[in-house]
Amino acid sequence: MHPIDIDKSISRRGFARWATTALAASPALAAADPLTAAQIVDRIKKKLAEEGVVWGPSNFDRFHLGDPGIQVVGVATTFQPTLRVLQRALAAGKNFVVAHESTWWDGFDPVEAFLQDSVCQAKIRFAEQNHMAVWRIHDHWHRRKPDPIFTGLARKLEWSAYYKYEERPRHYEIPEMSLEEVARHIQQKLGTQNVVVVGDRNLRVKTVGDCAHILSSVLPALRACDVALVGETPQHDTFEYLRDAMSLGMKKGVVMISHEGLEEWGMQACADWLKPVVPELPVEWIATGDPFQVPAIRV
Amino acid sequence: MESEMTGRTADLIVCAALGDPMSTARYEGLCAGNANTRVLGVMVCYAPTLDLLRRAAAEKKNFIVSREHPFFLHGGLYYSYGTDGLEAAMKDDPVVAAKRQIINANQLMVYRYASAWDLFKPKAQSLALAQALGLKPLPSAPGDRSRGVVCDVPRTTLAALAQTAADRVKAFCPRTVGDAAGSVTRVAVLAGETDPTPALARLLADPKIDGVIAGGGGTVDEVDGAIAWFQDLMATGRKIAMLAIGHLPSEAPGCAEMAKFLGGVFPALPIEYWETPDPGWIPRS
């Protein structure tokens, strides 16, 4: 078993004190009927339906942690509900986390597979002790038109003017620059050095296609654009494919950023979208952040 | 030196040596070429790239043993990374077509023995990586068939180990998770992907392990997999960090080791390991 230092987390008694203080500090909140996480989800579904996204089957979109019946004192949106994000949400007075990605380290969130794992137990305990819940909205958030995950990326890259959703979704026509300039632009705008590139540094780039995380998704972007911008793709196929494509003389490039770097800006937008859904509660986006840093090396 | 052995015979000999007939494994065994072709020479590589195929044709190394698939069908060696959609996406792909043309025109055969090699020597890839980095693995428990190895190191940092990886295995795109400047004294070494998560959790069960050196392989590791778990492990208070050196640099030493092994299996055949550089780069200031 791994040693768990969960003492830093807020205890049940501490949460009660904190929640009482939070309620006292907000007379409007104290006067309102308590709102549960499940009731907030009902409001979200209603608003989505009004926007044309009817709630339907999903392998992902449901509660993954905590009690849907908790009384919510604040809402945090985030890309991935890591334990660090939960800790930061609680510290910010938010006990209901609306997340885009998984809680339990597998795309389909099978907590049952990890119940004996001490990290899983710590995460469950943290949520229980602090009356927190995590609800995931992946598929349905992507179904909004335009997809807020990718308009969020365009905004973050300051490429919104080059992103013509109605004409070619996930396709940027940018002012011509080199592949290295593209990569450096992305580093600067996303605030991370974690940008791994395959391709000729001097490749002239006019079109960029953003794409999901496996080669079968990268291929359409590569075929349509000069460069595929992908969130954490397997190197053993995508990088090798591009190596061979270049060997054939194809003028293409791949820019790999983290999954967070590609998508978390859409959950920043989710916070603004949620505020009118729960006007009686504070809503805040909490960044998951790029998990990778790039150490300095002498090459 | 030329032999009268065909690819089919060579495959049977390799499978027998590895102790596991992998002819039914998906995306393994003969991936391209005609098995009835006479073996002229053996080349071992991480991935049978177009450039290596051209060189193999020129140098008459027509029995090619690879860690990765010639048409990028990695499959789920250790995790559920689906490639069904990829096969459809690759239909009529010009890169695949060009590779097939070179293979067929030059009577090359590409055999993949990734799972077979790992089943034969579960720690071979990680052991080779540790040794290439100058690390000495601790003895593993009897019956331990997990992939990773554990090494005690003189007090250092993952940032320093990143330089070691650059110098020794040409890992020029290292990335770290956690505090790269924190000191480490015992590291787990895991070639290739960090997934599956339960296996990584077992590898790190020893609380003295304060560093991980892995390959890292993509989204299956990161948001959906073991690196997300690793971030949560750190958030519980465990003092540990990870260095992901890249998939190719982490697996290449094991491929060289396999070439040595095959030298014993085919003592009369010329066998060479051909390396390929990591194609990635990171813009640096």
Side-chain angles (χ1 to χ4, degrees), chain A residues 7 49 58 71 74 81 90 96 99 110 118 122-123 127 141 144 146 153 173 198 242 245 259 267:
Chain A
D7 293 341
S58 166
Q71 180 182 344
L90 193 64
F96 180 42
S118 61
K123 210 164 177 178
W141 194 241
R144 292 182 66 227
L153 175 65
E173 291 187 31
V198 182
L242 194 71
H259 198 146
M267 291 310 286

Side-chain angles (χ1 to χ4, degrees), chain A residues 192-194 257-258 260-261 264 288-293, chain B residues 222 231:
Chain A
T192 178
Q193 203 181 354
N194 176 31
I257 58 178
S258 66
E260 289 84 352
E264 82 164 325
T288 306
D290 194 324
F292 294 108
Q293 297 86 46
Chain B
E222 200 220 327
Q231 290 178 269

Side-chain angles (χ1 to χ4, degrees), chain A residues 238-282:
Chain A
T238 302
F239 284 17
E240 295 305 324
Y241 177 88
L242 194 71
R243 186 207 302 270
D244 286 340
M246 291 166 60
S247 181
L248 283 173
M250 297 182 187
K251 298 191 181 307
K252 301 288 181 179
V254 165
V255 175
M256 183 178 82
I257 58 178
S258 66
H259 198 146
E260 289 84 352
L262 190 80
E263 297 194 18
E264 82 164 325
W265 323 109
M267 291 310 286
Q268 184 177 21
C270 185
D272 293 332
W273 182 86
L274 263 180
K275 284 174 184 169
V277 177
V278 283
E280 62 270 63
L281 291 175

Side-chain angles (χ1 to χ4, degrees), chain B residues 30 32-35 37 52-58 60-64 99 102-111:
Chain B
L30 180 68
N34 183 343
T37 306
L52 289 188
L53 293 176
R54 291 182 183 123
R55 184 179 159 197
K60 306 284 185 205
K61 295 283 192 292
N62 68 338
F63 190 83
I64 297 158
K99 294 182 87 169
I102 287 176
I103 290 166
N104 293 335
N106 295 282
Q107 296 188 305
L108 304 179
M109 298 165 280
V110 181
Y111 282 84

Side-chain angles (χ1 to χ4, degrees), chain B residues 14-50:
Chain B
V14 173
C15 286
L18 296 177
D20 193 280
M22 293 300 293
S23 57
T24 58
R26 198 175 188 197
Y27 307 133
E28 302 227 8
L30 180 68
C31 298
N34 183 343
N36 294 320
T37 306
R38 192 160 52 90
V39 175
L40 305 176
V42 181
M43 179 269 276
V44 182
C45 60
Y46 164 78
T49 67
L50 207 43

